[in-house]
């Protein structure tokens, strides 16, 4: 994964001190493809993606704050004295979050897989009744989700998938906010128990089945057996998504793969380079998109 190299500038440090009253030595944390995070004692200073709309970030932060009131593992930003959750510094936003000690389950154990599924179910229940205003601009995952052919992934054009997605959403009208990026890197564990859900940048309102299918596949490393175990644990914990048959799972996962492909193209277009592992992963996902076609 490409990590954003945005430094914690003097201007950002000054804002963090003046607005949130924090100071001290900052330690760069892992992760972040378009953003960067630094630990500052018991807090994390996050430097947001360049050029992103602050209204969009505030919208996502409000969803995280709502989730955190019911789900302690949901990490939400600290408000400023004025009630905002970020301050603009140049073309980036600066926000402050609680620091939670833990490790991402890059290769989750059976217990971590079940724990991640149950946590997702609790998040969905917590967000099920929330009716936020329309997101200031669509999330990246929403492109093509409702059947419109996505122009940013031409090599994966698939009119049959487009028609299937349109029909699926007619038949599944339930919508509520979703985390939007519920993969193993955004959940921290301690001793096999999930303790934090991070990175709420991709929140959007959608059918919960969309997130369940994508999360089950990713947490199971695209293996059908563990993916079904993830979905079963989610449903046992009372998640809001309906049951997923094999075709529904495959088609929703194919949508997610198509968005990953589009993101890869976006990264290349802005000048990012990818190592051999990242290129191999990309080509594997392209092949899987075709293999999963029902």
């Amino acid at each position: 994964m490409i990590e954003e190299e945005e430094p914690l500038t003097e201007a950002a440090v000054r804002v963090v001190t003046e607005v949130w009253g924090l100071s001290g030595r900052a330690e760069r944390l892992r992760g972040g493809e378009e953003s960067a995070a630094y630990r500052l004692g018991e807090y994390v200073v996050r430097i947001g993606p360049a050029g992103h709309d602050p209204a969009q970030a505030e919208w996502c932060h409000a969803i995280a704050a709502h989730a955190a009131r019911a789900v302690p593992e949901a990490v939400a930003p600290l408000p400023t004295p004025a009630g905002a959750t970020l301050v603009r510094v140049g073309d980036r936003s600066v926000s402050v979050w609680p620091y939670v000690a833990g490790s991402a389950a890059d290769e989750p154990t059976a217990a971590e897989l079940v724990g991640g599924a149950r946590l997702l179910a609790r998040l969905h229940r917590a967000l099920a009744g929330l009716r936020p205003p329309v997101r200031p601009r669509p999330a990246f995952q929403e492109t093509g989700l409702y059947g419109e052919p996505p122009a940013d992934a031409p090599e994966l054009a698939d009119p049959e998938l487009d028609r299937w997605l349109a029909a699926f959403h007619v038949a599944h009208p339930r919508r509520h906010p979703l985390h939007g990026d519920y993969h193993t890197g955004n959940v921290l564990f301690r001793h096999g128990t999930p303790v934090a859900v991070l990175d709420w940048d991709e929140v959007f309102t959608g059918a919960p089945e969309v997130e369940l299918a994508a999360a089950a596949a990713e947490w199971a490393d695209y293996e059908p057996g563990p993916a079904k175990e993830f979905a079963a644990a989610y449903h046992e914990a009372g998640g809001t998504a309906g049951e997923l048959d094999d075709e529904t799972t495959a088609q929703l996962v194919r949508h997610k793969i198509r968005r990953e492909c589009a993101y890869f193209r976006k990264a290349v277009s802005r000048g990012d380079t990818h190592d051999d592992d990242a290129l191999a992963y990309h080509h594997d996902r392209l092949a899987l998109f075709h293999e999963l076609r029902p």
Side-chain angles (χ1 to χ4, degrees):
M1 180 182 72
I2 299 166
E3 289 197 353
E4 175 61 48
E5 295 300 327
E6 176 68 12
L8 187 60
T9 63
E10 290 184 8
V13 170
R14 185 164 56 251
V15 162
V16 169
T17 300
E18 293 175 354
V19 175
W20 284 279
L22 305 179
S23 62
R25 180 178 175 274
E27 171 194 355
R28 176 72 160 90
L29 299 176
R30 59 166 279 185
E33 294 182 57
E34 294 186 80
S35 59
Y38 295 83
R39 181 181 178 184
L40 198 61
E42 296 304 308
Y43 299 95
V44 172
V45 177
R46 191 165 185 268
I47 310 299
H52 276 213
D53 181 1
Q56 179 173 298
E58 291 276 13
W59 187 92
C60 293
H61 292 176
I63 305 297
H66 181 91
R69 287 192 282 272
V71 181
E73 297 92 337
V75 180
L78 275 63
T80 69
T85 57
L86 58 84
V87 175
R88 199 71 170 168
V89 177
D91 68 342
R92 292 179 181 263
S93 61
V94 176
S95 54
V96 173
W97 307 67
Y99 173 76
V100 181
S103 301
D106 296 324
E107 296 182 2
T109 65
E112 289 169 339
L113 184 142
V114 169
R118 290 173 175 168
L119 176 54
L120 180 61
R122 288 194 289 121
L123 282 175
H124 282 183
R125 291 204 313 272
L127 295 171
L130 182 61
R131 298 293 180 267
V134 175
R135 197 179 196 271
R137 64 181 65 181
F140 196 74
Q141 293 298 325
E142 291 183 90
T143 302
L145 181 58
Y146 299 100
E148 68 283 9
D152 55 359
E155 61 269 57
L156 296 184
D158 189 331
E160 287 295 330
L161 174 60
D162 298 334
R163 285 190 285 271
W164 186 94
L165 288 166
F168 170 83
H169 283 95
V170 170
H172 295 78
R174 183 171 194 175
R175 307 282 186 272
H176 65 68
L178 309 173
H179 179 273
D181 200 18
Y182 195 81
H183 63 74
T184 55
N186 283 336
V187 179
L188 301 183
F189 286 80
R190 284 201 304 269
H191 310 298
T193 300
V195 293
V197 183
L198 312 173
D199 194 352
W200 293 79
D201 286 354
E202 298 302 321
V203 173
F204 68 96
T205 298
E209 293 82 4
V210 171
E211 181 150 82
L212 173 59
E218 202 281 338
W219 281 68
D221 196 23
Y222 295 88
E223 293 294 330
K228 289 183 178 181
E229 292 172 9
F230 184 101
Y234 168 93
H235 286 120
E236 289 169 3
T240 60
E243 296 287 340
L244 301 176
D245 59 30
D246 290 345
E247 179 182 11
T248 300
T249 300
Q251 294 288 52
L252 293 176
V253 169
R254 293 178 76 229
H255 165 74
K256 181 64 181 298
I257 292 172
R258 192 155 65 173
R259 299 317 301 145
E260 288 182 1
C261 174
Y263 189 84
F264 182 90
R265 290 171 57 88
K266 175 185 174 182
V268 170
S269 70
R270 69 178 180 230
D272 292 350
T273 57
H274 296 83
D275 60 22
D276 290 343
D277 288 342
L279 289 171
Y281 178 87
H282 173 65
H283 290 299
D284 286 346
R285 296 285 79 77
L286 292 177
L288 185 60
F289 178 86
H290 297 292
E291 292 169 11
L292 288 174
R293 179 180 286 115

